[in-house]
Amino acid sequence: RILMEPIGARKQDDILILDLRAEKFFNLGGVRRVGLFFDVYNITNSKAQQNITWNSGGSFERPTSIVPPTIARFGMKFDW
């Protein structure tokens, strides 16, 4: 194996992801309470490449994984 470039010559781009969570609690008396929440992951819908193949050949710089799309999640939790 012969290196054609110095080690560290290539870097992946920075990955910027914006996530958001909104949550509201309601007291049920005493220490019991119910919480409603709403999560949104990857709000900007970044399609950044997380891993890239650096081996030479036909797969050079081919992405092996990409950031998942925007996902929203609703939920409820109960604390006692």
Side-chain angles (χ1 to χ4, degrees):
R1 187 174 212 178
I2 300 171
L3 297 177
M4 301 305 289
E5 296 178 319
I7 294 176
R10 294 186 180 266
K11 291 179 23 179
Q12 286 186 231
D13 296 334
D14 294 334
I15 299 176
L16 301 174
I17 298 175
L18 178 63
D19 298 334
L20 175 73
R21 171 174 254 208
E23 189 169 9
K24 174 68 178 169
F25 282 99
F26 301 96
N27 291 324
L28 299 177
V31 294
R32 294 184 180 139
R33 61 187 188 160
V34 171
L36 301 173
F37 63 88
F38 175 68
D39 295 331
V40 181
Y41 301 104
N42 193 10
I43 291 175
T44 58
N45 200 19
S46 171
K47 297 175 187 140
Q49 303 164 355
Q50 288 179 314
N51 292 318
I52 298 173
T53 302
W54 296 111
N55 294 336
S56 61
S59 64
F60 181 67
E61 289 191 341
R62 179 177 292 164
T64 57
S65 64
I66 298 173
V67 175
T70 302
I71 298 172
R73 179 174 77 167
F74 297 95
M76 181 174 80
K77 60 184 176 179
F78 179 70
D79 293 336
W80 68 91

